[in-house]
Amino acid sequence: MDYDIIIAGAGAAGLNLAHALAQAGLDGRRVLLADRAPKTTNDRTWCFWERGDNALEAIIYRRWSRLAVHSADMSLLLNPAPYMYKMLRGSDFYAHMNAWLETQPSIERVYGEVQGFDDYATGVSVRIDGRAYRARYAFSSLPAQPQPHHHALLQHFLGWVIETETPMFDPATATLMDFRIEQAGETRFVYTLPLDSRRALVEFTVFSRELLARDVYARELRSYVEQRLEIQEFAITHDEFGIIPMTDAPFARRASAHVMNIGTSGGATKPSTGYTFLRTQRQARAIARALKTGRDPFAAAPGGARRFQLYDSVLLNVLDKHRQGGAQVFARLFQANPAATIFRFLDEESSMLDELRVMASVDTRAFLAALVDVLTRR
């Protein structure tokens, strides 16, 4: 057998898994990390809330201790303690991981097209550019299709890093959601993450079934910067466009006898929010712990309690069926609950008391109708 483990895809999920394997003391096992090409550019930005330090805390680019949420009829300034809202840039993540991989003699990298997986009695053969590599297990973050007949929205966004000539931003306060824009029958908001007093990432985000024309994102962003932020003169130093699935459709964790899907393809994306990065880290640590103790890694990755899956489905149903606008839903949640309670709930670490308080703060009629619809479908 060529390797103990093959990781197909060297994005966030694959690199976090390689790192978790070493952290768990599995750096003696031979690992092959496969991807199409080296990743070096700042192709994405990951943001998340977290208590305490991350395993990659040294490369966290920015942190915010205050969060603002705005809607048409209220503005809130939130203290998320004990959480901090954090930003990790793709370029910093890749540079850090590439440097770390150079110190790991048991991890080999290969670049090429992953063409398929072939199980055999005691392992799997992975075809990469026509060559077969064998291992006991393979973990794949390559795109996978969820099962049909479930809620399926998209979170799509365009973000600009803008720079101004004079100070315009409060570096300690991030705007998590600003719904004071035309909703157009969808859930639309802008968030602003100041990098310093003169630079900020401003991102226009939509939850809907269909994408918009590319010029619409740019038009909405420019309108927000000029009218809401009242900034007329600015330079765009970086832009990023992204699409994240928001679906309660189950992704098959076990792709075959010896192949496990990870990352978004393995269900790591939170259906109701689109947040993924921390969940890939937790998934990676669970897999590493299972391998360390000789347990089945396919059963180890956390999938969340069934009640949280139901909560996600109900919220997606509310938004998908237009039972209530996302602006009203999220504004009421943050208005009625401490930010820490909402974050615990979305992290699936809340108590039943937390969850009852969250439920009491939403539109009962809209969410009960969604609950009935979801349970009927199931």
Side-chain angles (χ1 to χ4, degrees):
M1 191 173 294
D2 299 328
Y3 300 92
D4 297 295
I5 294 165
I6 295 176
I7 301 173
L15 290 171
N16 276 324
L17 178 56
H19 192 255
L21 294 174
Q23 294 296 105
L26 296 169
D27 46 357
R29 302 195 188 187
R30 294 197 63 201
V31 176
L32 180 67
L33 184 61
D35 208 346
R36 288 180 177 176
K39 288 184 169 66
T40 58
T41 61
N42 194 33
D43 60 346
R44 65 195 63 220
T45 301
W46 294 286
C47 293
F48 48 88
W49 54 82
E50 187 176 32
R51 292 175 297 175
D53 290 344
N54 192 273
L56 301 171
E57 195 68 26
I59 59 169
I60 295 297
Y61 186 61
R62 290 291 185 274
R63 302 165 185 82
W64 295 273
S65 57
R66 294 195 300 266
L67 301 174
V69 175
H70 305 284
S71 70
D73 54 4
M74 66 90 184
S75 288
L76 300 172
L77 185 61
L78 309 173
N79 175 6
Y83 294 88
M84 293 282 285
Y85 199 70
K86 303 179 181 183
M87 172 192 285
L88 174 59
R89 299 189 303 180
S91 56
D92 295 334
F93 176 70
Y94 300 137
H96 176 82
M97 285 300 191
N98 286 334
W100 172 76
L101 286 168
E102 292 297 326
T103 70
Q104 302 298 308
S106 62
I107 301 178
E108 181 181 337
R109 285 183 281 185
V110 62
Y111 298 111
E113 190 75 29
V114 177
Q115 297 162 321
F117 304 88
D118 301 301
D119 279 293
Y120 56 92
T122 59
V124 60
S125 176
V126 182
R127 288 174 278 115
I128 305 172
D129 280 351
R131 180 180 173 183
Y133 299 82
R134 293 158 63 93
R136 178 70 179 91
Y137 294 113
F139 298 91
S140 172
S141 60
L142 304 182
Q145 292 298 317
Q147 299 176 20
H149 310 303
H150 291 76
H151 302 100
L153 296 177
L154 298 172
Q155 180 179 152
H156 41 112
F157 51 86
L158 176 67
W160 290 341
V161 174
I162 64 171
E163 185 170 349
T164 61
E165 291 187 0
T166 59
M168 296 295 294
F169 306 105
D170 173 7
T173 303
T175 297
L176 188 64
M177 288 178 154
D178 189 343
F179 292 102
R180 295 174 298 179
I181 59 175
E182 176 60 44
Q183 296 295 295
E186 300 168 332
T187 298
R188 297 184 173 193
F189 60 91
V190 177
Y191 69 78
T192 302
L193 306 180
L195 308 181
D196 54 44
S197 62
R198 295 175 49 243
R199 295 183 304 136
L201 171 62
V202 186
E203 198 151 286
F204 168 65
T205 303
V206 183
F207 298 170
S208 67
R209 285 176 173 262
E210 304 293 336
L211 301 180
L212 308 177
R214 186 61 180 262
D215 64 320
V216 174
Y217 301 94
R219 186 173 67 244
E220 292 291 333
L221 257 181
R222 184 168 295 278
S223 173
Y224 183 86
V225 171
E226 293 178 349
Q227 297 180 28
R228 182 61 62 183
L229 298 182
E230 299 181 340
I231 299 174
Q232 307 303 316
E233 299 293 332
F234 60 93
I236 302 170
T237 62
H238 176 72
D239 69 87
E240 61 180 35
F241 180 79
I243 305 169
I244 301 172
M246 298 178 66
T247 178
D248 58 354
F251 288 82
R253 182 175 300 165
R254 194 174 201 128
S256 65
H258 302 94
V259 181
M260 178 177 175
N261 290 325
I262 59 174
T264 294
S265 297
T269 297
K270 176 71 170 171
S272 56
T273 65
Y275 282 88
T276 305
F277 191 84
L278 279 188
R279 289 165 66 94
T280 67
Q281 288 187 316
R282 293 168 187 156
Q283 187 183 67
R285 288 194 295 267
I287 292 169
R289 285 194 300 268
L291 291 171
K292 174 76 172 178
T293 56
R295 292 180 290 117
D296 179 7
F298 297 87
R306 288 182 63 86
R307 72 181 189 276
F308 290 108
Q309 298 171 22
L310 179 60
Y311 300 156
D312 285 333
S313 293
V314 170
L315 177 56
L316 288 177
N317 186 280
V318 168
L319 300 180
D320 190 27
K321 301 297 183 181
H322 305 288
R323 302 184 192 279
Q324 188 179 28
Q328 291 76 32
V329 171
F330 290 105
R332 289 181 65 159
L333 285 174
F334 281 105
Q335 194 170 25
N337 300 277
T341 300
I342 298 297
F343 290 163
R344 279 198 306 273
F345 176 72
L346 294 175
D347 278 345
E348 303 182 3
E349 297 175 345
S350 51
S351 66
M352 287 302 299
L353 181 58
D354 286 334
E355 292 156 35
L356 290 172
R357 288 171 175 163
V358 169
M359 292 176 197
S361 63
V362 300
D363 185 307
T364 304
R365 181 179 299 180
F367 277 76
L368 279 178
L371 175 62
V372 171
D373 191 15
V374 167
L375 293 177
T376 301
R377 288 167 180 260
R378 291 188 176 186

